[in-house]
Amino acid sequence: MTPLRRIALALVWVLGMLAAPVAAQAQAEDGALEALVAQLPDGNYGDREAVIEAIAATGDDRAVGVLTALGEGELQQLKSNDQVVRVVYADRTYTAYDAITGETIGEIGRRDGSKVRVNNSLRRAIRAAVAQLTLGSQDPDKRLLAAENLLKAPDPEMIEALDAALATEADDGVRAAMGTARAAAVLVSDLGTDQKVAALDRLGAEGALSSLALINAQLENEDAEVAAAAVRAKELIEQSKALWDLGQNIWYGVSLGSVLMLAAIGLAISFGVMGVINMAHGELVMIGAYTTYVVQEIIRNNAPELFGASLVIAAPLAFLISGAIGVAIERGVVRYLYGRALETLLATWGVSLILQQAVRTIFGPTNQEVGNPDWMSGAFELGQMTITWNRLWILVFALAVFLLLQAILKKTPMGLQMRAVTQNRKMADAMGVKTGWVDAMTFGLGAGIAGLAGVALSQIDNVSPNLGQGYIVDSFMVVVFGGVGNLWGAFAGAFTLGIVNKFLEPYAGAVLGKVLVLIFIILFIQRRPRGLFALKGRAVE
């Protein structure tokens, strides 16, 4: 045997000797946790609480899953072999899993096990035990979750554990959550006045609604200093809530404004260039929504992996289909009625009825299911505000469409001719601009943008033959308020009316709020007949 081989064997032996105690300790810990879990069904609630404390004392990360399942009522003891398992009910079947490892055991019958019961006192003990196990975790997300759980169920016995965790915590977010949890625990403890006042000041400065119940409990405190601090903290939280409510209402208004802008800017173009009151504009929005539905149905049945891109596919198709229908309406009906506003209104209203009935015949009168892709589903919290992803993406989409339309009007020959016809139709015609072609393309562009609005609305509203009717009146109000034919007017009008609507609704209701907005617009037009942003031209009417 060579010297190198002897050295290698010696190193292996030494490493084995060093690893043996560690492995033995791990096995012992495994056995301790298994033995404690097996004791959970035994005895009364007091005995069970002692077992929970012993499980927490093991420091085993796997104990978190066991205790969580116990708190959620999922632990059962099998009658066949007394094994404690986690039982999950789904799809009308009961499936058993190993309580510690999570390995699947298999399906069991409804009466094959007896539930390990818990009461409210045990649930508090479980939350405290889970917090104890997770406060020292290496994962900051687990430490944050532990602090949040302790805030929901303050326990004065956890103050020392929180102090120890705070002394070593490096993550600012987790540290702040632990400090808040400690303040909550102080309020339900027997600590002195100074500490309770400091805890109340901290909770009040943070302004979290979740702390309000704890603060209210201190309002009747016999200690006048603590009661006064509770009053101050409550006032601070109420002020913070009022500000966040204001922000939430503004967000709702901006969200509604983005929808109104998408629905109105196409109308603003056709109304401004041709002076046509297009009552079928809402139905063009509806066509865009149904295009989205058809695209999603095709993807669901043939390529479900592409569902996340369904809106990206539907948007250009909706623009083209609605735009083509718009050109057909202009060439087939509207161009024969220029200069006759009442006849145009009645004719386009008739076209809207035809489109509605056509959709009812093809798709039926009921609502159609249009799904949200994963990237548009759910919501996130911003302070005390809730922002849904679908409305955020619709806002981004609306702004993108607006900027693209501005670029078309300012940077392309078609946009130049549209602006020329808007300012002075006769002069543009005399300069060689084909006003008929401009009218058709303008109507088609406005209709195409209405189709894009339908794609967006399909994500937040019911897709039905009546979809467009809910937005046609609002769209006209936006156009008239902002200034006929002016995109910036439509932009400002949409967001202004959206925010005003959302601030009126809590006080006047949705219907009365719209009536008040309409009255405001009528009064405003009396003073400014051409709207917020009036177009300037050399036409002499």
Side-chain angles (χ1 to χ4, degrees):
M1 183 179 294
T2 64
L4 286 175
R5 185 174 177 83
R6 290 178 180 175
I7 293 172
L9 289 173
L11 286 173
V12 169
W13 180 81
V14 171
L15 291 173
M17 292 297 292
L18 290 173
V22 176
Q25 182 181 357
Q27 290 174 358
E29 290 176 354
D30 287 349
L33 181 60
E34 289 171 357
L36 290 169
V37 169
Q39 295 174 26
L40 281 171
D42 302 335
N44 55 28
Y45 287 129
D47 298 330
R48 206 161 292 158
E49 184 171 352
V51 174
I52 290 169
E53 292 173 356
I55 289 174
T58 64
D60 194 320
D61 287 341
R62 297 172 302 169
V64 174
V66 176
L67 294 175
T68 302
L70 176 62
E72 293 176 354
E74 294 180 342
L75 285 193
Q76 294 189 23
Q77 185 180 38
L78 294 180
K79 296 177 180 178
S80 59
N81 56 8
D82 293 335
Q83 181 182 358
V84 176
V85 296
R86 175 173 171 256
V87 178
V88 177
Y89 178 71
D91 298 330
R92 299 184 178 181
T93 59
Y94 293 87
T95 306
Y97 300 88
D98 188 285
I100 297 174
T101 65
E103 295 178 0
T104 304
I105 296 174
E107 292 185 13
I108 62 172
R110 181 181 178 182
R111 303 183 183 277
D112 289 349
S114 55
K115 183 175 289 189
V116 181
R117 300 192 178 278
V118 295
N119 58 13
N120 289 335
S121 176
L122 279 182
R123 290 188 182 93
R124 286 193 294 270
I126 289 168
R127 285 195 291 267
V130 170
Q132 179 180 335
L133 286 164
T134 51
L135 280 174
S137 173
Q138 296 297 319
D139 186 350
D141 290 337
K142 290 184 178 179
R143 299 198 301 274
L144 179 61
L145 180 62
E148 291 173 348
N149 287 335
L150 286 174
L151 179 60
K152 294 175 184 175
D155 184 354
E157 295 181 2
M158 294 302 297
I159 292 177
E160 291 184 7
L162 284 165
D163 287 337
L166 282 165
T168 58
E169 184 57 58
D171 188 294
D172 291 338
V174 177
R175 186 177 180 82
M178 287 181 176
T180 304
R182 186 189 185 282
V186 167
L187 290 183
V188 297
S189 71
D190 295 328
L191 293 176
T193 299
D194 292 342
Q195 292 212 43
K196 288 194 174 183
V197 169
L200 286 165
D201 289 342
R202 180 186 181 107
L203 294 177
E206 289 180 351
L209 288 175
S210 56
S211 306
L212 199 55
L214 285 171
I215 293 171
N216 286 335
Q218 301 298 320
L219 291 174
E220 304 298 329
N221 196 297
E222 295 179 357
D223 190 322
E225 192 175 348
V226 173
V231 171
R232 292 196 306 270
K234 183 178 181 180
E235 289 175 351
L236 286 173
I237 288 179
E238 289 175 347
Q239 291 172 8
S240 174
K241 180 180 183 298
L243 288 174
W244 283 112
D245 287 346
L246 176 65
Q248 187 75 69
N249 270 338
I250 291 174
W251 163 248
Y252 287 149
V254 168
S255 175
L256 175 61
S258 66
V259 173
L260 292 178
M261 185 184 72
L262 270 178
I265 53 177
L267 188 63
I269 295 172
S270 57
F271 195 15
V273 173
M274 296 175 288
V276 172
I277 302 174
N278 179 19
M279 294 299 294
H281 188 77
E283 279 57 49
L284 295 170
V285 172
M286 173 198 67
I287 295 297
Y290 271 95
T291 302
T292 308
Y293 163 71
V294 172
V295 168
Q296 287 198 351
E297 284 299 297
I298 293 172
I299 289 176
R300 282 193 184 102
N301 295 327
N302 298 282
E305 67 277 3
L306 295 178
F307 189 82
S310 59
L311 298 186
V312 179
I313 298 169
L317 289 175
F319 179 84
L320 292 174
I321 293 171
S322 295
I325 294 174
V327 171
I329 294 172
E330 196 281 333
R331 290 287 86 187
V333 178
V334 174
R335 69 167 174 161
Y336 300 109
L337 301 172
Y338 285 134
R340 291 181 284 176
L342 181 59
E343 286 89 337
T344 305
L345 185 149
L346 291 173
T348 53
W349 179 59
V351 170
S352 73
L353 296 179
I354 292 171
L355 291 175
Q356 284 186 39
Q357 191 55 46
V359 168
R360 284 192 181 93
T361 302
I362 297 171
F363 298 101
T366 57
N367 296 342
Q368 302 298 333
E369 179 186 359
V370 175
N372 291 123
D374 290 340
W375 50 275
M376 287 189 73
S377 301
F380 64 93
E381 299 292 327
L382 181 62
Q384 295 178 25
M385 291 170 52
T386 301
I387 309 293
T388 56
W389 283 109
N390 57 354
R391 289 191 176 271
L392 180 61
W393 280 115
I394 287 172
L395 174 61
V396 172
F397 179 66
L399 294 175
V401 170
F402 178 80
L403 294 175
L404 181 60
L405 188 56
Q406 284 282 17
I408 290 173
L409 293 178
K410 300 292 185 183
K411 304 295 184 181
T412 65
M414 178 184 171
L416 178 63
Q417 293 178 20
M418 286 171 58
R419 287 184 287 127
V421 173
T422 301
Q423 293 181 15
N424 194 319
R425 173 178 291 273
K426 292 181 179 179
M427 182 61 72
D429 190 26
M431 295 296 293
V433 175
K434 297 179 180 178
T435 56
W437 179 86
V438 171
D439 288 340
M441 291 300 102
T442 301
F443 207 91
L445 179 62
I449 294 171
L452 293 178
V455 175
L457 286 173
S458 70
Q459 300 301 296
I460 59 173
D461 207 339
N462 295 323
V463 177
S464 71
N466 299 321
L467 172 65
Q469 292 181 353
Y471 295 93
I472 184 66
V473 175
D474 289 338
S475 297
F476 274 111
M477 285 199 298
V478 167
V479 171
V480 173
F481 177 65
V484 175
N486 192 306
L487 289 187
W488 283 109
F491 181 91
F495 285 106
T496 301
L497 295 182
I499 292 173
V500 169
N501 258 316
K502 288 302 177 182
F503 273 96
L504 287 176
E505 279 181 9
Y507 307 102
V511 176
L512 183 57
K514 286 185 180 294
V515 172
L516 293 175
V517 169
L518 179 60
I519 293 172
F520 163 75
I521 291 175
I522 292 171
L523 295 175
F524 178 82
I525 295 302
Q526 293 295 316
R527 298 299 301 268
R528 291 182 63 91
R530 301 177 73 181
L532 279 175
F533 299 91
L535 283 177
K536 296 179 181 180
R538 298 185 180 182
V540 179
E541 303 297 341

